Amino acid sequence: QVQLVESGGGTVQPGGSLRLSCASSGITFSVYAINWYRQAPGKPRDLVARIISAGTTDYADSVKGRFTVSRDNAKNTSYLQMNNLTPDDTAVYYCHLRQNFRDVWGQGTQVTVSA
């Protein structure tokens, strides 16, 4: 059974940093693109960053230059390094992959940026 588990969320002050992790099990992690989404209260779930199996990355304009997505295939884990956080980054962050036309989501981890 495929499982994704996020961790690393918390509360930070504006300008701070956090590193989120997405640990997977039940799949050959290295072949999948991993997507990171976030959802703020009352807003849709938006794609923030993604990393494909070959390591190429892509980012939403709102996080370019501040967020870095990476993966460690030996640990079956993806990371989202978030720097220079602002209150607008407050949201629940989810990792996601698509397996055989089926969406697989983690449970999410809360990130709160507040003074």
Side-chain angles (χ1 to χ4, degrees):
Q1 182 178 354
V2 180
Q3 191 173 18
L4 299 175
V5 179
E6 300 96 336
S7 61
T11 300
V12 294
Q13 293 185 342
S17 299
L18 282 173
R19 188 177 81 153
L20 306 183
S21 299
C22 171
S24 71
S25 60
I27 57 169
T28 304
F29 177 78
S30 60
V31 306
Y32 291 97
I34 302 298
N35 305 304
W36 284 90
Y37 286 78
R38 68 184 180 188
Q39 187 167 24
K43 293 188 177 181
R45 191 172 294 189
D46 291 328
L47 181 64
V48 173
R50 75 188 307 256
I51 182 166
I52 68 172
S53 58
T56 303
T57 59
D58 195 18
Y59 300 92
D61 287 343
S62 59
V63 306
K64 278 182 181 176
R66 301 188 299 123
F67 289 14
T68 303
V69 61
S70 62
R71 64 191 301 155
D72 185 337
N73 290 333
K75 295 183 178 180
N76 296 327
T77 301
S78 174
Y79 304 97
L80 186 66
Q81 177 68 43
M82 306 185 296
N83 298 328
N84 195 21
L85 287 162
T86 75
D88 287 343
D89 296 315
T90 296
V92 178
Y93 285 71
Y94 300 89
C95 60
H96 163 272
L97 63 84
R98 194 155 175 83
Q99 183 192 41
N100 297 330
F101 308 106
R102 182 175 69 98
D103 291 311
V104 180
W105 295 94
Q107 84 288 354
T109 186
Q110 176 70 48
V111 171
T112 302
V113 184
S114 174

